[in-house]
Amino acid sequence: MKAAVLKSFGSPLAIENVPDPVPGTGEVIVDVVATRVLSYAGEVFSGMRAYALDLPVIPGPGGIGRVRTIGPDATKLAVGDWVFCDPTVRSRDDAMAPDITLQGWSARDEGGMRLQKHFRHGSFAEQMMVPTENVKRLGKITSDEATQWCALGTLLVPYGGFLAADLRPGETVLVSGATGNFGSAAVAVALAMGAACVVTPGRNDKVLADLVRRFGMRVRPVKLSGDESDDREQMRRAARGPIDCVFDIMPPSVSTNVVRAAIMTVRPYGRVVLMGGVGMAGGAGLDLPYPWIMRNCVTIHGVWMYPPDAATRLIALVRAGLLRLEDYEAKAFDLDHTNEAVAYAAANAGPFKMTVLRP
């Protein structure tokens, strides 16, 4: 089969023929039809992000495809099924605290690296081998629609955060980082889950206005000034009532003051979800007042990715018409032009934009 192979950090991906994957028990082979190229893929492949990858590797986190081969332990899947390949692969020998690797992308720790040595190759290929439990049925779609369904990979991240916070219909949410790629996805997901309104602080007037255009008056934009106290007050006013859940997905470059201003808008007994990158690039960590957390009974959830059943539940939201994949604008490339796709993704990042490979 043809694949894009990362042989060394800092080198272009090599487009070449490699052996077809051979499945064992508990594994499925999927013909890849469409897969996302993340905006920061070039930073991963250059080594700038220092992601844990055992080279050489076929990169690519998850994708959309059709089942080619199933194992003897698969009782619901059938050859030809349209599926989403969930890249969050978990070890099977510790259900309470499994090791995790993002197939074709990065491992979290030493255990994840051991797992990666088997489930190593990702979706920048004509076929990929996926753990049976990571293959999620989509129902009937067309080949053209597979491109749009790649948005699941982006939407799943904030969905995992909101599941951890037990977001309920009718609640008020604040998304810190709403003008970014994952932040704008969080706005869409919160509304699909029944949030009464979503407060969207940010500095990008164009994106804030676009969120209102897409989702209506349930979106409450706030233009940030940079003054922590003033911004916190403006966010509370925009909510027009208690803020039940604050979701943070700010990147590493953002000041901790901005993040803290948003987090401390949450009501007593409210929940905070941390899924952003504060502190990952060095510098000061997030300083939250112990007495404020304790006396207000605030629950803080650190969340990485999402639970195993999240993809199936999110697919149901799409099928119910509550979450619109058509909000995403996609630019597609074939496998021979993978390096061009990586460059395009970096230059054209933003809310509701995708770069997609069509192997």
Side-chain angles (χ1 to χ4, degrees):
M1 68 172 184
K2 186 186 291 186
V5 183
L6 179 64
K7 296 186 174 181
S8 62
F9 291 114
S11 298
L13 296 172
I15 313 302
E16 59 187 35
N17 289 317
V18 300
D20 290 354
V22 178
T25 300
E27 297 164 358
V28 173
I29 303 300
V30 173
D31 289 323
V32 181
V33 177
T35 179
R36 291 178 305 156
V37 180
L38 298 181
S39 62
Y40 58 89
E43 296 177 13
V44 175
F45 303 155
S46 71
M48 182 186 303
R49 291 215 171 199
Y51 274 19
L53 276 170
D54 188 29
L55 303 183
V57 68
I58 300 168
I64 306 297
R66 303 193 77 171
V67 173
R68 170 183 281 261
T69 308
I70 57 175
D73 57 343
T75 61
K76 299 291 195 302
L77 289 170
V79 172
D81 281 350
W82 282 100
V83 294
F84 168 68
C85 300
D86 181 356
T88 308
V89 177
R90 297 168 175 84
S91 58
R92 294 164 170 164
D93 52 353
D94 187 346
M96 294 297 292
D99 288 312
I100 294 177
T101 191
L102 297 183
Q103 187 175 1
W105 205 243
S106 181
R108 188 169 65 179
D109 49 27
E110 182 181 349
M113 284 298 293
R114 289 175 58 194
L115 190 61
Q116 186 189 112
K117 288 185 181 297
H118 183 66
F119 291 110
R120 61 187 296 124
H121 295 309
S123 53
F124 287 12
E126 292 178 325
Q127 300 174 31
M128 66 182 299
M129 182 181 73
V130 187
T132 304
E133 64 270 24
N134 285 56
V135 179
K136 314 295 184 179
R137 290 180 296 169
L138 295 175
K140 291 183 179 179
I141 66 171
T142 67
S143 178
D144 288 343
E145 289 171 337
T147 296
Q148 217 73 47
W149 278 91
C150 286
L152 285 179
T154 300
L155 294 160
L156 267 169
V157 174
Y159 187 54
F162 288 130
L163 289 177
D166 193 23
L167 181 63
R168 305 291 181 88
E171 290 192 318
T172 294
V173 174
L174 184 147
V175 175
S176 176
T179 57
N181 187 25
F182 286 108
S184 58
V187 175
V189 169
L191 293 171
M193 294 175 72
C197 70
V198 181
V199 179
T200 57
R203 290 191 172 89
N204 190 320
D205 289 326
K206 184 178 179 181
V207 174
L208 292 175
D210 184 63
L211 288 170
V212 175
R213 180 188 66 81
R214 290 176 185 273
F215 301 112
M217 299 309 295
R218 290 164 69 197
V219 173
R220 308 273 175 79
V222 176
K223 181 67 179 292
L224 294 174
S225 68
D227 181 278
E228 184 174 343
S229 297
D230 181 64
D231 286 340
R232 186 179 299 124
E233 180 60 27
Q234 293 304 316
M235 286 184 268
R236 284 176 173 153
R237 286 182 182 177
R240 304 174 198 169
I243 295 173
D244 302 290
C245 177
V246 172
F247 176 90
D248 178 81
I249 196 150
M250 284 289 198
S253 58
V254 171
S255 164
T256 56
N257 293 349
V258 176
V259 177
R260 183 170 55 242
I263 288 173
M264 293 185 67
T265 63
V266 78
R267 65 167 172 83
Y269 298 91
R271 294 96 70 204
V272 173
V273 178
L274 303 180
M275 294 194 83
V278 170
M280 288 185 178
L286 180 62
D287 181 18
L288 291 173
Y290 188 115
W292 173 79
I293 298 171
M294 181 266 292
R295 291 173 181 167
N296 289 288
C297 300
V298 172
T299 301
I300 298 177
H301 300 267
V303 183
W304 192 62
M305 303 307 286
Y306 41 82
D309 66 341
T312 299
R313 296 169 67 177
L314 191 69
I315 291 165
L317 286 179
V318 176
R319 288 301 189 186
L322 297 169
L323 194 57
R324 303 193 311 260
L325 300 181
E326 56 268 26
D327 279 325
Y328 281 84
E329 172 191 334
K331 171 72 172 178
F333 293 80
D334 61 28
L335 200 56
D336 287 330
H337 294 88
T338 301
N339 289 300
E340 290 89 334
V342 171
Y344 182 89
N348 294 274
F352 305 109
K353 292 183 178 180
M354 286 193 300
T355 302
V356 172
L357 279 183
R358 301 268 313 187

